[in-house]
Amino acid sequence: MPDNTVQAAYTAIHDLYIDLFGSPTDLPPEDTAFARTHLAPGPVLDLGCGPGHFTKFLTDAGIPATGIDIVPEFITHARTTYPGIGFELGSLRTLDAPTASVPAILAWFSLIHLDPTELPSVLAEFHRVLTPGGRLVVGFFESADTVEPFPHKVTTAYRWPADHLAETLHKAGFIELARLHHPAAGEVRPHGALAVAKS
């Protein structure tokens, strides 16, 4: 899905999104522990950082982090709410970083709006900027058998079988280190995370 479509969709609901999900306390402890374990010692690029809550968590955990997002309202909020942390307006498709210069990347549910055909080129860009052995943590919605679109409350998103996403990451030059799985619970869809390293 084009960046401008995603940007417009999140801009339209940015206040509500910030109210619902914009605090570090909204992050489940199991998720933050997983990210901290696999992203330390950083520094980390938090790509698709939204209102900056995970960037703030990482910084408070002693892991230097910079947040990047395409939604101006999210970046304005993050800069105001978390002064002293770097936040930049930008796309995760084209990173303003030299080759092999970034030790770690967090893409926490920020790849979900990419059409599956777009994911390899984005992962290639992540691979380009990561240092040898650099870490990547990806949060995603899970499906049982096939990659499929679903009606996300903001705009169309895609869910992936964990093994399929792991194989896509492998083809992009990453080695799996660990995975995390959350089953469906009430209105919460099954979701998970993968931690990989640049090979």
Side-chain angles (χ1 to χ4, degrees):
M1 184 175 294
D3 280 356
N4 59 349
T5 302
V6 176
Q7 177 186 333
Y10 278 92
T11 292
I13 53 88
H14 70 275
D15 283 332
L16 176 61
Y17 189 95
I18 290 167
D19 287 343
L20 292 175
F21 307 113
S23 169
T25 59
D26 296 321
L27 295 165
E30 191 174 4
D31 293 346
T32 54
F34 185 85
R36 183 178 63 245
T37 296
H38 294 289
L39 296 173
V44 177
L45 286 185
D46 182 4
L47 301 179
C49 67
H53 50 310
F54 221 132
T55 323
K56 170 64 171 172
F57 166 80
L58 292 171
T59 303
D60 286 351
I63 303 172
T66 299
I68 298 175
D69 204 277
I70 60 172
V71 180
E73 292 81 2
F74 284 161
I75 295 300
T76 297
H77 169 84
R79 287 172 173 168
T80 301
T81 307
Y82 309 121
I85 300 176
F87 292 98
E88 302 172 8
L89 188 65
S91 171
L92 53 73
R93 297 173 188 266
T94 306
L95 300 174
D96 185 18
T99 297
S101 66
V102 177
I105 290 174
L106 175 64
W108 197 249
F109 292 87
S110 55
L111 304 178
I112 63 172
H113 300 297
L114 292 173
D115 185 280
T117 61
E118 299 176 298
L119 186 58
S121 64
V122 172
L123 294 179
E125 178 68 348
F126 291 2
H127 193 275
R128 179 187 71 80
V129 303
L130 281 168
T131 57
R135 303 294 184 89
L136 167 63
V137 171
V138 177
F140 64 100
F141 289 107
E142 283 196 60
S143 64
D145 301 311
T146 60
V147 181
E148 59 187 10
F150 70 95
H152 186 271
K153 290 183 179 180
V154 180
T155 189
T156 301
Y158 293 84
R159 48 192 169 207
W160 289 70
D163 286 343
H164 191 151
L165 183 55
E167 178 61 20
T168 301
L169 286 159
H170 177 72
K171 290 178 179 177
F174 295 96
I175 299 171
E176 182 177 347
L177 302 173
R179 63 176 66 183
L180 180 66
H181 169 71
H182 295 288
E187 295 184 356
V188 178
R189 300 179 178 92
H191 58 286
L194 285 167
V196 298
K198 178 178 175 176
S199 58

